[in-house]
Amino acid sequence: MRSSSKGNIFIISAASGTGKTTLVSRLTKHHDDIKVSVSHTTRQPREGEEHGKHYYFVDVPKFETLISESAFLEYAKVFDNYYGTSVEGVNILREQGYDVILEIDIQGAEQVRRVWPGACSIFILPPSFQALAERLVGRGTDSPEVIERRLGKARKEIEQAFMFDYVVVNNDLVEAEADLLSIIKSHRLKQSCQHLFIENLLENS
């Protein structure tokens, strides 16, 4: 963990079934200076989910109060449930020197880019639509009709990849994780991210 400056913000988005969550989990498991922001949601916890670890589970009035207080970097309502990224939660991690990953959808990514233009955005792509279809079928949780709808939605989401700073193709988990890490490391070396270090160096020369 770096102590010379605040951590950076990395937006990571992808179409459903691309393997974004698996990639991010591997990255944070192998690198303890990178953390994932824990989102707030109004949906009910699923089996095995813990408050504060997987999500901050709150009721609708509480979430809407937080909206009125501008407490979220981004938020959205999906299938009657709210999801949002806490400004305070992200800032606490950044102040501690962690780089923070926001694992969010296209809509959320657009909101964060408007509020925080210095955030680095990364889009995860499948190697092909055939591979994506095979992954969705392999889950064994959706009917052919649902899979067809997901693929149609995925195409629209992938069209938004042009709006992101970097694109990583998830054909191999190990290679894709290495690509993600190389983006994070190179972003840390940008002059804008090293500004405080340069100032301190000059002050103590």
Side-chain angles (χ1 to χ4, degrees):
M1 187 167 53
R2 298 170 317 285
S3 59
S4 58
S5 63
K6 293 181 181 179
N8 304 298
I9 294 178
F10 294 90
I11 302 165
I12 299 185
S13 299
S16 176
T18 307
K20 165 174 57 76
T21 300
T22 301
L23 266 177
V24 170
S25 296
R26 286 176 59 94
L27 187 69
T28 54
K29 179 181 178 180
H30 296 150
H31 302 278
D32 59 9
D33 55 350
I34 304 170
K35 298 287 187 181
V36 178
S37 171
V38 178
S39 298
H40 285 63
T41 184
T42 57
R43 75 161 172 76
Q44 292 299 306
R46 294 169 184 156
E47 186 177 351
E49 289 184 332
E50 298 177 27
H51 178 78
K53 180 178 179 181
H54 298 93
Y55 284 96
Y56 291 108
F57 296 99
V58 298
D59 58 23
V60 172
K62 174 63 175 177
F63 197 103
E64 292 180 341
T65 297
L66 291 170
I67 292 174
S68 69
E69 295 171 349
S70 301
F72 295 116
L73 266 178
E74 59 82 30
Y75 71 91
K77 196 170 189 179
V78 182
F79 301 121
D80 298 324
N81 288 307
Y82 282 115
Y83 295 84
T85 302
S86 163
V87 175
E88 181 182 14
V90 171
N91 279 334
I92 288 173
L93 290 174
R94 291 185 67 235
E95 290 288 348
Q96 292 172 344
Y98 292 105
D99 283 329
V100 184
I101 289 177
L102 309 184
E103 189 183 334
I104 53 181
D105 62 14
I106 306 295
Q107 180 183 348
E110 184 178 351
Q111 291 180 52
V112 175
R113 280 196 297 262
R114 286 199 301 265
V115 176
W116 218 305
C120 176
S121 59
I122 306 166
F123 197 89
I124 311 298
L125 289 175
S128 66
F129 271 94
Q130 181 181 350
L132 182 59
E134 290 172 355
R135 289 175 185 173
L136 292 174
V137 170
R139 288 178 173 180
T141 57
D142 296 320
S143 67
E145 294 76 18
V146 170
I147 289 173
E148 193 64 30
R149 286 200 300 271
R150 285 186 180 276
L151 288 173
K153 182 182 178 184
R155 182 176 183 83
K156 293 180 180 178
E157 290 172 328
I158 289 171
E159 288 173 354
Q160 301 302 310
F162 294 107
M163 304 299 293
F164 286 70
D165 299 318
Y166 295 91
V167 170
V168 170
V169 177
N170 185 17
N171 188 36
D172 176 86
L173 274 173
V174 175
E175 290 183 7
E177 180 188 351
D179 288 341
L180 272 179
L181 183 61
S182 67
I183 292 168
I184 290 172
K185 285 185 173 181
S186 64
H187 186 78
R188 289 172 179 171
L189 300 177
K190 289 183 67 175
Q191 181 274 127
S192 57
C193 297
Q194 296 290 331
H195 192 80
L196 180 60
F197 178 81
I198 296 169
E199 287 186 342
N200 289 337
L201 187 65
L202 292 172
E203 286 177 7
N204 294 294
S205 62

